[in-house]
Amino acid sequence: EICACLVGSEMCIRDRSYELIIRIFQFIRLFKYSIMRKLILFFLFVFSVTVGFAQSFSGDKLFISVDGGKGVLFGKSNLSPFGVNYRGEYNGGLTCNVKTLYRIDKFWVAGLKFNLSGTSANYTLDDETNVADNVELWYLGPQLGFKIPITERTLISCVLGAGYLHYRDEGRSNSEFKCTSGALAGNMDFLVEYKLTDHLAVNGGFSVLSGDFKKIEMTADEKKETLRPNKLDRLYMRRLDFQLGLVFCY
């Protein structure tokens, strides 16, 4: 009888333990399916959509874009070789870009950018000398950035770069003159691209270009001299370009 009671008590304890364990697992299972499962499914859905879009663009390895637009000078920009007093005479001019980017993985791209821009001005110096000149700038620099799909046909492209910016100014005052200079410059491009076909897309956005020129090589009356303006009178480029163009995808 005593043995039977002990066996019965042991079975009751064991059954209660099993019941507690089962309830714990049921609670965990219920919690998992009610909250965790929804979270996991949500993140899996977002991840699968992102990967799906990325794979739809991943077939394109090479991007060649040609675009143009209008530039706006801002900040302490000065394109006049005669000093800061005449920097307001210039506008940003028209710009043209050719950019080649290669996809190095799902999102990252690397390549090269060439930018050409020009502007002109007519103004009078403090000594009543009239000046008419044409300024041309070109920029060449390696690029690194990313392309992120936001829909099946639309992606955001953002690249940064650093390279060489060349300044050339030809004009006439009392005589004809020519000024040249070069500087280290940097750029940032932010564009939205929309694919029209498998190999053609249109883009639109803005680009920022910045560079400082510390010296100027000036030729006037067949005499060449090197000018080193003070910090205030230096040539500065701070330009915001608004641009539209085409992208060829391969």
Side-chain angles (χ1 to χ4, degrees), residues 110-169:
L112 193 66
K113 172 180 176 174
F114 175 77
N115 173 268
L116 178 65
S117 64
T119 185
S120 61
N122 292 274
Y123 52 93
T124 302
L125 302 180
D126 291 339
D127 60 1
E128 301 301 324
T129 301
N130 293 322
V131 175
D133 63 350
N134 299 303
V135 176
E136 178 185 285
L137 297 115
W138 61 263
Y139 168 77
L140 182 66
Q143 307 290 296
L144 179 64
F146 57 82
K147 289 180 178 286
I148 298 180
I150 54 177
T151 69
E152 189 174 356
R153 288 188 172 272
T154 308
L155 59 81
I156 293 175
S157 174
C158 182
V159 295
L160 301 174
Y164 177 76
L165 178 62
H166 183 78
Y167 169 92
R168 180 185 178 92
D169 183 14

Side-chain angles (χ1 to χ4, degrees), residues 5-184:
C5 290
L6 291 175
V7 171
S9 300
E10 182 181 356
M11 292 179 65
C12 290
I13 295 173
R14 185 178 60 188
D15 290 342
R16 288 179 180 176
S17 299
Y18 286 158
E19 184 179 357
L20 178 62
I21 293 173
I22 291 172
R23 288 183 179 274
I24 291 174
F25 275 106
Q26 287 178 343
F27 176 78
I28 295 174
R29 187 179 180 184
L30 179 63
F31 178 80
K32 178 177 67 176
Y33 283 129
S34 62
I35 299 177
M36 292 300 294
R37 186 181 181 185
K38 292 180 181 179
L39 291 175
I40 292 172
L41 289 176
F42 173 75
F43 284 115
L44 286 176
F45 172 75
V46 173
F47 178 76
S48 62
V49 170
T50 304
V51 171
F53 286 156
Q55 288 177 347
S56 67
F57 282 94
S58 63
D60 299 328
K61 293 293 185 180
L62 183 64
F63 304 88
I64 301 174
S65 61
V66 180
D67 46 59
K70 173 68 174 176
V72 177
L73 298 176
F74 66 94
K76 59 180 182 179
S77 294
N78 174 37
L79 299 181
S80 173
F82 299 100
V84 69
N85 292 338
Y86 312 103
R87 66 183 181 183
E89 305 296 333
Y90 298 84
N91 56 44
L94 300 177
T95 68
C96 177
N97 294 285
V98 178
K99 188 163 52 184
T100 301
L101 297 175
Y102 181 79
R103 187 188 297 278
I104 54 180
D105 69 1
K106 187 180 297 183
F107 298 114
W108 291 97
V109 292
L112 193 66
K113 172 180 176 174
F114 175 77
N115 173 268
L116 178 65
S117 64
T119 185
S120 61
N122 292 274
Y123 52 93
T124 302
L125 302 180
D126 291 339
D127 60 1
E128 301 301 324
T129 301
N130 293 322
V131 175
D133 63 350
N134 299 303
V135 176
E136 178 185 285
L137 297 115
W138 61 263
Y139 168 77
L140 182 66
Q143 307 290 296
L144 179 64
F146 57 82
K147 289 180 178 286
I148 298 180
I150 54 177
T151 69
E152 189 174 356
R153 288 188 172 272
T154 308
L155 59 81
I156 293 175
S157 174
C158 182
V159 295
L160 301 174
Y164 177 76
L165 178 62
H166 183 78
Y167 169 92
R168 180 185 178 92
D169 183 14
E170 292 187 352
R172 181 189 297 273
S173 55
N174 291 328
S175 61
E176 292 186 357
F177 65 88
K178 181 175 71 173
C179 300
T180 60
S181 186
L184 178 66

